[in-house]
Amino acid sequence: MKLSRRDFLKSAAAAGTAAAVIGVSGCAQDSGKNKEPGATNAAGSSPETESGKDAEIGTQPEAMEGNPAVKPGEGGKWVCSSCQGCTSWCSVQAYVEDGRVTKVKGNPNSKGNRGYICPRPHLAIQQLYDPDRIKTPLKRTNPKKGRNEDPKFVPISWDEAMDEIAERMMELRNNRESHKFSLWKGRSTGVADVFYHAIPAIFGSPNNYGHASICSEAEKLGAGITEGYWDYRDYDVMNTKYFLMWSTDPIASNRQVSNIINHYGDMRSQAKIAVVDPRLSATAARCDEWLPVIPGQDGALVSAIAHVILTEGLWYRDFVGDFKDKKNRFIKGETVAEEDFEEKYTYGLVKWWNLELLDKTPEWAEKIAGIPAEQIRRVAQDFAAAAPAATSWMAPGVAMQVRGGYIAMGANALNGLVGSVENIGGPNRASGAPVAKLPDTSPYTDEIAAEGAKQKKIDHRNDIRFMSAEKGKIHKNVVTNYLADAILEGDPYDLKMVVSYWNNWVYSCTGADRWEKALAKLPYFVHITLNPSEMSQFADIVLPASHPMFERWGFVTNKQDLHTYVSLEQPVVKPVWDSKADETEIAWLLAEKLAGKGFPALLDYYKKEFCDPETGEEPADGQEFGLYVTKYYTKGIWMPEEKPSGDEIGGWEEFVEKGIWNSEKMGYQKHWDDFGTATGKFEFYSETLKGMLEEHAEEYELSVDEALEQLNYLARGEQAFVPHYEEPVRYGDEKEYPLIFSEHRSRLNREGRSANTVWYQEFKFADPGDEAWEDVLKCNPVDLKAYGLTDGDRARVTSVQGSIEVTVKSWEGTRPGVAVKCYGQGHWAYGQVAAEDYGKKIPRGGNNNEILPCDWERLSSSTCRHGGIARIRIEKI
């Protein structure tokens, strides 16, 4: 489908004054083209009908009951909620007019995004009114599963759907196979545990799995094993004098988008910005130094920059310390006696030098990373000269590769060298949010539940090949992308039932074909979703989820601009379709059905543990449950026993009105006396990592070197405990697959869920090098000429994993030898805009995960999608 800009802008203009045009009339969405019987079934009904009768699309939904912020008959009103279109999780406001959302803006009460938003919340309006949304529960009538199989969904009632799901669960429980039930989640809210943790715990299964390791766990590893902080960091951007960004594109993606969009002008005027990225990103296009590194070779730059800082005596002595005689002994090629250096707040600097840095010159790195030695030296000097107000800012791109754990470690170690850790102008830790924890489930578990919960998890986190570190503990992190293999292999046992929500792992996991085969094998699968995604096509039951930004209760916590915040999600309008909130309303319905079949424990837990904090009343239905759960978790904000360190909120209605609680501004140097590492210091030589590796090796009666071999790392001996360079892993022989493939994220991508909006497609050119309504592979003109291709040609892109078809784009924003493509297109399901032909399952472009092979960074268990893991060849079609 193609739209002219003129036609699109006409539709968009109309949308600004009449919300019914946005999505309900399609806002130019193609609600009739490419329509096949299978397409109609997959969405539940056509946009004109719902469950075979006239749909109430044209009516104006009333304000949600229980929401004091929106009242009928008051006209337009701004109502607070939260956007989860990326991991910034900004506080927003939606304008509700005659019962419809017509526009959005940032919440002015927020000290994190300060009333600013990026494009993603605007796209959420089209998601809300998308005519391709799942409208009613659906049941599969074709027992055969596969991409090319029509599920032949038929609409059923919520009562029928939940009764069937509960019956399947009870069959497992009656056969003492509760452990063969699994619950999967993708994105989630702050109330997720009432669904994600409570149901498996009380029912009796160890198998609940989230998406974290396909997102960014290797990024957390870097700070965890150097400074004991196993979480995402905040940044003191208004006081920073130098930014060294490692594949970071903060004005387009990652975790500070709205904040940085607003601050970027000031950041550029008061600081130098260097961006290490294979492509000319939106941020790289507006920086002082662009370092187009060969994908996966960032570690060489880390070591060379550290080498320059030490040999030229540029480290920050107030944090790191100095030689006892004040004479710099860091000389190229020469080892240093450890006793000659006296450290202050750090540990192991001399070990790092002796084991790794002494010969890692810029000239050495130039040959490996493809960046001129002169530029490496200049960046190192300027970065150190700004100390301590210098930030080495890492994104998942440098860490989520097979040997990316040490790059993550090194990128954060640079913050240690310049003393910026928790310092003015540097990366900082977030303070905790005053939200409650999930009530204890153990009083509600019986013998069957206890027996099931003791069974082995199927994700192989305890496998010799995975250390799976989380918060300093081994074998605690989920290995999400191994679940497909576990199902296919039946190891350690076969799952018989999965309930999954807010995810689309058939599309979003590398080695995507494995997921298609695994879900085709799975006996019974329930998918809770907004749109009929690729994952939905394998489901036995599909349940329509309410939109988290507009149609349900919940909350999120995050940090931006040196403030932790708790931002409310609330039902600003009545659900457009017959949808329900996944984590609360659907959980309640399931609990009721299980109770009716002789298993009341879950319903008892919900009723007794989640009473209204104000009245003490038990919830009577799913909507009350969603409201009371949200009030329970956030009562420390609006009904605190002790005043939290931040905003004073005078009650529930005031919290609903303001929509957010902000902490006081973060302080500096709070953990310098004890970072929480094994030594209490900032560790260049990580005793923290050493202890975890030794524990992992001992469990399997191996030496640490043998364990490292299983973890697919090259380091041996003590080098394994310091940041160091390792050769990246690439799939495909260079002669057969001459180009390195590199991917990136879109500033319009609501975590893979916005491709069915026309605004995403029409404004795709907002991502540097991309084109509206196209999926382009961006290649350097030198490469296109070498392979006989010209700009605009259709081409087949092939790796050892598979092939996709795209349009090639001649673009100088990538270096020769590297082909770049944005993630987010290539849907063969999801809707009639996302797919080129939804009825025939023809994708619009190609899904990167069909050419990216499955592998892991095994210290953290992160899925690898960056670092040029795949080599490709391109052929004109």
Side-chain angles (χ1 to χ4, degrees):
M1 182 184 72
K2 294 282 187 179
L3 289 179
S4 71
R5 286 183 59 80
R6 179 175 298 178
D7 289 342
F8 172 80
L9 292 174
K10 284 181 179 179
S11 298
T17 56
V21 177
I22 301 177
V24 176
S25 296
C27 190
Q29 299 233 40
D30 181 13
S31 59
K33 186 180 176 183
N34 301 331
K35 189 69 70 69
E36 298 268 339
T40 301
N41 288 343
S45 58
S46 70
E48 292 78 23
T49 63
E50 180 182 8
S51 300
K53 62 181 182 180
D54 292 338
E56 298 179 348
I57 304 177
T59 61
Q60 298 174 349
E62 299 175 358
M64 276 297 286
E65 294 181 6
N67 185 346
V70 189
K71 297 182 175 67
E74 288 190 353
K77 184 178 180 67
W78 289 104
V79 185
C80 295
S81 194
S82 305
C83 174
Q84 290 189 262
C86 73
T87 47
S88 297
W89 295 354
C90 292
S91 188
V92 299
Q93 291 184 333
Y95 194 71
V96 180
E97 189 171 14
D98 294 329
R100 291 197 179 278
V101 177
T102 60
K103 54 189 173 182
V104 293
K105 68 177 182 178
N107 186 346
N109 301 314
S110 171
K111 295 179 181 179
N113 56 304
R114 304 175 315 287
Y116 292 90
I117 53 175
C118 75
R120 293 177 179 89
H122 301 287
L123 290 163
I125 301 175
Q126 287 200 331
Q127 283 185 307
L128 174 65
Y129 296 115
D130 183 353
D132 289 334
R133 276 182 64 180
I134 302 293
K135 303 170 178 63
T136 186
L138 304 173
K139 181 175 181 176
R140 184 184 203 91
T141 60
N142 179 8
K144 295 181 180 180
K145 296 182 180 181
R147 182 190 287 211
N148 296 319
E149 295 290 341
D150 183 350
K152 296 183 180 178
F153 288 123
V154 296
I156 60 174
S157 69
W158 275 99
D159 186 70
E160 290 174 295
M162 299 311 298
D163 190 74
E164 180 173 313
I165 294 167
E167 187 65 31
R168 289 278 187 158
M169 291 179 69
M170 290 306 297
E171 286 179 16
L172 292 178
R173 204 173 149 76
N174 292 337
N175 292 329
R176 302 187 82 92
E177 291 182 316
S178 62
H179 59 289
K180 295 184 178 181
F181 166 84
S182 187
L183 201 158
W184 301 346
K185 72 167 184 173
R187 183 54 61 211
S188 57
T189 76
V191 306
D193 282 352
V194 301
F195 190 58
Y196 175 68
H197 279 292
I199 291 178
I202 294 173
F203 184 73
S205 176
N207 291 310
N208 56 330
Y209 302 106
H211 82 294
S213 69
I214 66 170
C215 183
S216 56
E217 291 303 281
E219 179 186 350
K220 296 178 184 177
L221 178 78
I225 58 181
T226 51
E227 60 173 294
Y229 183 59
W230 298 83
D231 204 345
Y232 307 123
R233 289 162 295 177
D234 201 354
Y235 299 90
D236 188 15
V237 297
M238 291 306 292
N239 290 311
T240 305
K241 303 303 179 186
Y242 198 101
F243 293 93
L244 179 53
M245 297 186 176
W246 299 92
S247 296
T248 312
D249 189 13
I251 63 176
S253 63
N254 213 288
R255 295 174 181 84
Q256 297 276 326
V257 180
S258 298
N259 181 33
I260 301 304
I261 285 175
N262 175 236
H263 279 322
Y264 201 70
D266 291 331
M267 288 164 59
R268 288 201 67 195
S269 67
Q270 67 192 29
K272 285 187 176 181
I273 301 173
V275 176
V276 182
D277 199 316
R279 71 178 178 108
L280 188 68
S281 66
T283 304
R286 298 164 179 82
C287 71
D288 299 283
E289 299 266 9
W290 177 39
L291 293 81
V293 64
I294 296 172
Q297 301 290 16
D298 313 75
L301 293 181
V302 168
S303 292
I305 289 170
H307 176 95
V308 171
I309 291 172
L310 293 180
T311 56
E312 298 189 14
L314 302 176
W315 69 89
Y316 189 65
R317 287 162 173 78
D318 288 350
F319 181 72
V320 179
D322 202 356
F323 287 98
K324 293 176 181 177
D325 62 2
K326 310 302 180 185
K327 180 181 178 181
N328 186 8
R329 287 180 168 76
F330 292 125
I331 300 171
K332 174 189 170 183
E334 297 184 13
T335 59
V336 173
E338 292 182 39
E339 60 270 18
D340 290 344
F341 196 95
E342 187 173 3
E343 294 185 76
K344 289 188 175 181
Y345 299 99
T346 66
Y347 176 84
L349 176 63
V350 174
K351 287 181 184 290
W352 186 21
W353 170 264
N354 290 338
L355 290 165
E356 167 68 9
L357 300 178
L358 78 172
D359 60 352
K360 298 302 188 293
T361 65
E363 289 73 21
W364 164 84
E366 177 179 357
K367 298 175 183 177
I368 295 172
I371 303 299
E374 178 184 355
Q375 187 179 24
I376 297 172
R377 185 171 282 107
R378 181 175 64 247
V379 167
Q381 292 167 342
D382 291 349
F383 175 69
T391 290
S392 175
W393 189 344
M394 173 181 53
V398 298
M400 294 183 69
Q401 46 185 291
V402 176
R403 295 174 181 146
Y406 287 105
I407 304 177
M409 184 185 187
N412 199 54
L414 294 179
N415 287 316
L417 282 183
V418 297
S420 63
V421 180
E422 289 192 295
N423 213 339
I424 297 174
N428 213 324
R429 300 190 184 193
S431 56
V435 296
K437 296 184 181 300
L438 182 75
D440 185 15
T441 58
S442 60
Y444 300 86
T445 58
D446 60 12
E447 178 192 355
I448 295 176
E451 178 184 308
K454 290 178 182 178
Q455 300 299 312
K456 192 174 183 179
K457 287 180 173 286
I458 71 159
D459 68 343
H460 284 241
R461 68 183 64 183
N462 292 94
D463 194 296
I464 192 172
R465 296 169 293 171
F466 298 105
M467 193 175 80
S468 303
E470 181 184 48
K471 297 182 179 178
K473 304 294 184 182
I474 68 170
H475 302 155
K476 294 296 184 182
N477 216 342
V478 62
V479 193
T480 308
N481 207 11
Y482 200 89
L483 293 174
D485 302 281
I487 292 170
L488 290 171
E489 296 164 4
D491 183 16
Y493 47 80
D494 285 319
L495 287 182
K496 292 189 174 181
M497 178 178 181
V498 171
V499 174
S500 186
Y501 77 102
W502 210 341
N503 55 0
N504 188 16
W505 294 342
V506 170
Y507 174 83
S508 62
C509 283
T510 58
D513 64 308
R514 299 155 41 254
W515 282 91
E516 293 184 23
K517 296 172 185 176
L519 293 187
K521 178 188 175 184
L522 189 67
Y524 193 75
F525 180 52
V526 178
H527 198 215
I528 307 169
T529 180
L530 283 174
N531 279 62
S533 71
E534 285 76 6
M535 212 165 180
S536 307
Q537 309 307 311
F538 296 85
D540 296 278
I541 296 288
V542 180
L543 300 177
S546 296
H547 197 291
M549 187 168 158
F550 301 116
E551 298 178 322
R552 58 169 288 175
W553 289 107
F555 72 94
V556 294
T557 64
N558 214 333
K559 59 271 190 182
Q560 288 189 73
D561 215 27
L562 300 187
H563 292 277
T564 297
Y565 54 87
V566 179
S567 183
L568 186 67
E569 292 175 322
Q570 57 179 310
V572 301
V573 293
K574 184 178 180 180
V576 178
W577 306 106
D578 188 16
S579 64
K580 298 188 185 297
D582 39 35
E583 295 165 339
T584 51
E585 290 182 87
I586 293 177
W588 179 270
L589 292 177
L590 179 59
E592 286 186 322
K593 285 296 184 181
L594 289 171
K597 296 179 184 298
F599 182 66
L602 183 62
L603 186 61
D604 290 345
Y605 175 73
Y606 286 162
K607 286 184 174 182
K608 294 175 182 177
E609 301 295 340
F610 294 100
C611 298
D612 186 333
E614 292 183 291
T615 67
E617 294 180 0
E618 293 183 355
D621 55 34
Q623 287 190 1
E624 281 193 354
F625 181 59
L627 173 63
Y628 293 176
V629 164
T630 305
K631 293 175 76 172
Y632 164 82
Y633 273 104
T634 61
K635 62 185 178 182
I637 292 169
W638 53 271
M639 197 175 73
E641 295 181 2
E642 296 181 7
K643 178 184 175 299
S645 179
D647 293 348
E648 292 190 32
I649 305 291
W652 171 250
E653 291 200 7
E654 183 177 341
F655 184 44
V656 170
E657 183 70 25
K658 292 185 175 180
I660 192 166
W661 172 88
N662 305 280
S663 74
E664 294 180 353
K665 189 174 181 180
M666 299 175 195
Y668 301 107
Q669 304 179 12
K670 286 187 175 182
H671 299 88
W672 279 26
D673 290 331
D674 186 356
F675 278 101
T677 58
T679 63
K681 305 285 188 178
F682 185 99
E683 295 183 344
F684 297 117
Y685 179 97
S686 180
E687 296 286 356
T688 302
L689 175 59
K690 182 178 180 179
M692 290 191 291
L693 281 170
E694 288 176 341
E695 183 183 355
H696 177 70
E698 183 179 352
E699 184 172 335
Y700 300 101
E701 299 181 347
L702 302 174
S703 68
V704 170
D705 284 355
E706 291 171 327
L708 286 164
E709 184 176 3
Q710 293 290 330
L711 296 169
N712 206 3
Y713 275 100
L714 302 176
R716 299 294 182 264
E718 289 194 301
Q719 189 184 44
F721 314 135
V722 298
H724 63 273
Y725 169 76
E726 297 221 359
E727 186 70 23
V729 172
R730 304 205 197 283
Y731 282 79
D733 181 79
E734 186 174 358
K735 291 182 180 179
E736 186 176 359
Y737 303 97
L739 295 175
I740 298 173
F741 180 74
S742 179
E743 73 160 20
H744 65 93
R745 298 296 181 263
S746 170
R747 68 197 311 171
L748 305 176
N749 192 356
R750 288 183 57 82
E751 295 203 313
R753 288 177 275 272
S754 51
N756 206 54
T757 68
V758 294
W759 289 343
Y760 174 91
Q761 301 291 348
E762 180 69 14
F763 294 111
K764 194 66 182 66
F765 61 84
D767 296 311
D770 281 1
E771 300 285 344
W773 293 97
E774 284 284 2
D775 188 21
V776 298
L777 181 74
K778 300 179 281 285
C779 300
N780 191 279
V782 172
D783 292 324
L784 285 189
K785 183 177 180 180
Y787 301 119
L789 292 160
T790 59
D791 191 67
D793 282 346
R794 290 292 294 172
R796 181 175 294 105
V797 181
T798 304
S799 72
V800 296
Q801 175 65 34
S803 297
I804 58 175
E805 295 182 3
V806 298
T807 300
V808 294
K809 171 76 177 287
S810 179
W811 192 53
E812 293 182 346
T814 181
R815 60 179 303 134
V818 178
V820 179
K821 182 175 172 297
C822 189
Y823 168 79
Q825 298 278 40
H827 282 284
W828 53 267
Y830 217 82
Q832 297 170 78
V833 175
E836 183 69 28
D837 191 317
Y838 178 69
K840 296 180 180 178
K841 301 183 179 179
I842 299 174
R844 183 181 300 283
N847 178 9
N848 295 359
N849 290 315
E850 294 186 13
I851 60 173
L852 287 171
C854 175
D855 208 337
W856 298 268
E857 192 291 310
R858 296 164 191 257
L859 296 177
S860 64
S861 73
S862 284
T863 291
C864 298
R865 59 180 74 253
H866 301 294
I869 187 174
R871 285 189 169 276
I872 61 171
R873 66 172 182 264
I874 52 176
E875 303 162 294
K876 185 175 180 179
I877 299 174

